[in-house]
């Protein structure tokens, strides 16, 4: 997830500069033209260019509904939107991700798009994606870009090891992945410290990947009780991936402990130097690998391993939503539907090195090429599911106060699975209960 939080005061200042004039009546009284404000979080040049080009194309072909493009930033979007909602100055249309919608929807800030969506868009985006933005039978955003986790691997080291190369049709199991990691780990000078590790787990932010990958072993961590309330469980299926990571770091020594404090970007120099054979990373990291890899470095993209849940993993897609205060909800939804047409999703996805949610877009030749691992992403897209944390009130507090320190200590070997279960579920459920009284 790309959102980060800053203070409300800083967000207020940014709102005044970035979204000046937002929240007006959205129309020109002289000729009846409606002007919609679109706050975009596109940040890569290709993506910004694609968004602006689509806005221009819309404006050139629509006389009575115009769109004003406003540039925002992932660094402050939550607080910026909250400030604009509470001040009655929210943009008509805004870009965010599904993890941010729960609190905004509960606050009454988001329009239910269900009555305004065209049938063609409903059918093109699979139900699993719609489920990421639908709470209590109301649709609060259109999911349009998504990002799975994949294995980025050193092709030379894979070939030298003689291991089977997995595909989305025939992935490694988690057991096979453990064995492969051992074969790829080498201590050439026999000093007890590997020169090459099979895998490096970057766990500076451990929670989302620990939760989302639990779906592959038929876990979930967050469940709905019979009373409809959210509860945390941490049984064998929920903890299987976390226990595997713990074994690789603390028992098998096929993953370096130093990786636990790293971000994904931090692991890339070691990967290029042959110190790590494989990296579990978000799909968009392929761009950094392509740009930063030394000349002649051969790399490939593999699916994450599968378990009882197959290749399932959780995701929180990027979304486009309409403010409840907008006076032109149908017009705003019409523009979003235009922006998320299959051919347009292809442009936006390639600009951000992500996957579209559109079923039709995923068939595009530029997204099914083997080059830079695009085909692997397209092949595993059908296994993407709503992150179990979506729609859970109290998740942010649980993540910050309980889960992040608990996972970091557990992966470092400070305590065992029973203590991790006690903290995540025992202490965690007390937090969730406060939000559900």
């Amino acid at each position: 997830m790309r959102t980060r939080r800053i203070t409300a005061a800083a967000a207020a200042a940014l709102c005044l500069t970035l979204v000046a004039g937002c929240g007006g009546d959205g129309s020109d009284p002289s000729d009846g033209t409606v002007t919609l404000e679109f706050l975009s979080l596109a940040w890569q040049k290709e993506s910004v260019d694609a968004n602006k080009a689509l806005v221009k194309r819309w404006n050139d072909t629509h006389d009575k509904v115009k769109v004003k493009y406003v540039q925002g930033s992932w660094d402050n979007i939550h607080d910026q939107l909250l400030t604009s909602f509470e001040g009655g100055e929210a943009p008509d249309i805004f870009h965010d991700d599904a993890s941010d919608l729960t609190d905004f929807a509960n606050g009454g800030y988001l329009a239910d798009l269900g009555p305004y969506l065209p049938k063609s868009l409903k059918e093109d985006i699979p139900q699993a994606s719609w489920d990421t933005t639908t709470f209590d039978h109301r649709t609060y955003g259109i999911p349009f870009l998504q990002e799975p986790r994949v294995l980025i691997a050193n092709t030379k080291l894979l070939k030298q090891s003689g291991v089977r190369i997995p595909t989305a049709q025939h992935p490694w199991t988690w057991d096979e992945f453990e064995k492969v990691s051992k074969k790829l780990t080498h201590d050439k000078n026999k000093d007890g410290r590997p020169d090459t590790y099979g895998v490096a787990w970057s766990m500076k932010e451990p929670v989302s990947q620990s939760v989302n990958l639990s779906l592959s072993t038929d876990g979930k961590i967050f469940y709905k009780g019979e009373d409809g309330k959210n509860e945390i469980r941490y049984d064998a299926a929920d903890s299987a991936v976390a226990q595997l990571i713990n074994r690789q770091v603390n028992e098998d020594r096929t993953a370096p402990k130093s990786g636990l404090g790293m971000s994904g970007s931090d692991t890339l120099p070691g990967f290029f130097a042959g110190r790590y054979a494989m990296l579990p990373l978000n799909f968009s990291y392929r761009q950094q690998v392509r740009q930063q890899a030394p000349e002649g470095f051969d790399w490939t993209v593999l699916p994450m391993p599968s378990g009882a849940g197959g290749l399932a993993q959780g995701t929180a897609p990027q979304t486009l939503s309409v403010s409840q205060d907008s006076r032109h909800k149908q017009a705003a939804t019409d523009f979003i539907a235009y922006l998320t047409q299959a051919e347009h999703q292809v442009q936006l996805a390639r600009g951000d090195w992500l996957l579209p949610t559109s079923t039709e877009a995923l068939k595009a030749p530029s997204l099914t090429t083997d080059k830079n691992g695009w085909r692997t992403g397209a092949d595993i897209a059908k296994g993407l599911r709503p992150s179990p944390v979506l729609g859970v009130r109290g998740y942010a507090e649980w993540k910050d106060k309980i889960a992040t320190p608990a996972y970091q200590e557990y992966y470092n070997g400070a305590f065992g699975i029973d203590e991790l279960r006690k903290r995540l579920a025992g202490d965690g459920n007390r937090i969730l209960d406060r939000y559900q009284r």
Side-chain angles (χ1 to χ4, degrees):
M1 300 178 189
R2 297 176 186 238
T3 52
R4 293 193 294 272
R5 313 304 193 219
I6 62 170
T7 65
L14 284 162
C15 185
L16 291 174
T17 57
L18 291 177
V19 199
C22 64
D25 64 6
S27 63
D28 182 343
S30 65
D31 63 4
T33 301
V34 170
T35 300
L36 304 172
E37 290 206 335
F38 168 37
L39 178 63
S40 171
L41 302 181
W43 62 280
Q44 303 208 66
K45 183 180 184 303
E46 297 89 342
S47 184
V48 172
D49 289 347
N51 273 273
K52 288 184 175 180
L54 290 171
V55 168
K56 182 179 186 302
R57 197 179 308 167
W58 168 278
N59 288 335
D60 289 344
T61 55
H62 291 77
D63 294 331
K64 293 301 183 182
V65 179
K66 301 297 183 181
V67 174
K68 177 183 177 183
Y69 180 95
V70 180
Q71 186 64 60
S73 170
W74 285 105
D75 289 341
N76 54 55
I77 187 59
H78 178 86
D79 285 341
Q80 180 182 338
L81 283 172
L82 183 59
T83 300
S84 66
F85 287 141
E86 292 180 344
E89 296 184 336
D92 297 278
I93 303 157
F94 64 90
H95 184 178
D96 203 348
D97 75 46
S99 64
D100 226 11
L101 301 188
T102 302
D103 288 342
F104 290 151
N106 277 286
Y109 300 127
L110 308 183
D112 174 13
L113 303 183
Y116 310 107
L117 291 171
K119 183 180 179 182
S120 58
L121 183 62
K122 290 181 181 179
E123 294 176 346
D124 188 33
I125 295 176
Q127 187 58 46
S129 293
W130 286 118
D131 288 345
T132 65
T133 60
T134 301
F135 315 121
D136 296 326
H137 308 291
R138 294 181 176 89
T139 301
Y140 293 109
I142 295 178
F144 72 112
L145 294 178
Q146 56 189 343
E147 182 167 30
R149 205 159 182 83
V150 293
L151 290 170
I152 298 180
N154 183 316
T155 304
K156 179 181 177 181
L157 295 180
L158 286 179
K159 290 180 178 179
Q160 288 177 345
S161 71
V163 301
R164 179 180 73 84
I165 306 300
T167 64
Q169 293 72 35
H170 301 285
W172 287 329
T173 64
W174 283 106
D175 286 343
E176 193 174 2
F177 171 72
E178 280 195 88
K179 294 174 183 176
V180 166
S181 297
K182 291 177 181 177
K183 292 194 71 172
L184 290 168
T185 300
H186 301 286
D187 179 9
K188 295 178 182 177
N189 59 9
K190 307 298 181 184
D191 65 352
R193 294 190 302 176
D195 305 288
T196 298
Y197 288 93
V199 60
W201 289 95
S202 50
M203 286 290 174
K204 187 175 183 178
E205 296 183 3
V207 180
S208 62
Q209 57 183 309
S210 300
V211 174
N212 289 333
L213 290 178
S214 72
L215 294 179
S216 70
T217 56
D218 211 21
K220 198 171 179 181
I221 301 178
F222 288 86
Y223 297 84
K224 287 276 190 185
E226 292 182 2
D227 58 1
K229 293 183 178 181
N230 295 304
E231 63 177 332
I232 300 168
R233 305 174 200 161
Y234 209 63
D235 299 323
D238 307 297
S239 64
V241 173
Q243 289 181 273
L244 178 147
I245 296 170
N246 182 284
R247 284 196 301 274
Q248 290 193 312
V249 172
N250 298 298
E251 296 177 23
D252 301 337
R253 310 291 183 184
T254 56
K257 186 167 287 191
S258 59
L260 299 177
M262 294 183 182
S263 67
S265 297
D266 294 334
T267 61
L268 293 182
F271 177 64
F272 298 142
R275 185 155 174 75
Y276 318 128
M278 299 182 290
L279 299 177
L281 293 173
N282 286 345
F283 195 58
S284 60
Y285 274 96
R286 298 169 303 125
Q287 182 184 29
Q288 288 188 46
V289 174
R290 191 200 68 173
Q291 292 175 342
Q292 298 174 18
E295 186 176 353
F297 184 83
D298 195 7
W299 57 281
T300 189
V301 178
L302 310 174
M304 292 298 294
S306 69
L311 285 175
Q313 56 175 288
T315 186
Q318 292 185 30
T319 57
L320 294 166
S321 298
V322 175
S323 303
Q324 178 62 33
D325 286 346
S326 174
R327 301 184 184 184
H328 308 286
K329 296 181 178 62
Q330 183 64 68
T333 306
D334 289 345
F335 170 72
I336 297 177
Y338 171 82
L339 200 65
T340 54
Q341 290 176 11
E343 61 182 303
H344 299 161
Q345 281 200 37
V346 173
Q347 294 176 254
L348 299 175
R350 286 191 61 83
D352 268 335
W353 287 69
L354 301 174
L355 293 176
T357 57
S358 161
T359 302
E360 194 62 33
L362 284 167
K363 300 175 185 177
S366 63
L367 299 184
T368 54
T369 176
D370 289 327
K371 187 176 181 180
N372 296 322
W374 282 106
R375 180 184 295 276
T376 297
D379 286 346
I380 65 177
K382 61 180 175 293
L384 298 181
R385 300 289 180 267
S387 174
V389 309
L390 296 179
V392 177
R393 300 196 68 193
Y395 166 71
E397 183 178 346
W398 174 81
K399 175 186 174 183
D400 293 342
K401 293 183 178 179
I402 302 294
T404 295
Y407 272 120
Q408 288 174 338
E409 290 181 66
Y410 173 70
Y411 288 139
N412 270 287
F415 50 72
I417 191 63
D418 290 339
E419 177 65 17
L420 180 63
R421 182 176 294 112
K422 175 179 175 294
R423 294 193 186 189
L424 295 181
D427 297 344
N429 278 319
R430 283 190 283 274
I431 289 178
L432 263 56
D433 287 345
R434 292 205 319 270
Y435 287 81
Q436 302 180 110
R437 289 172 182 166

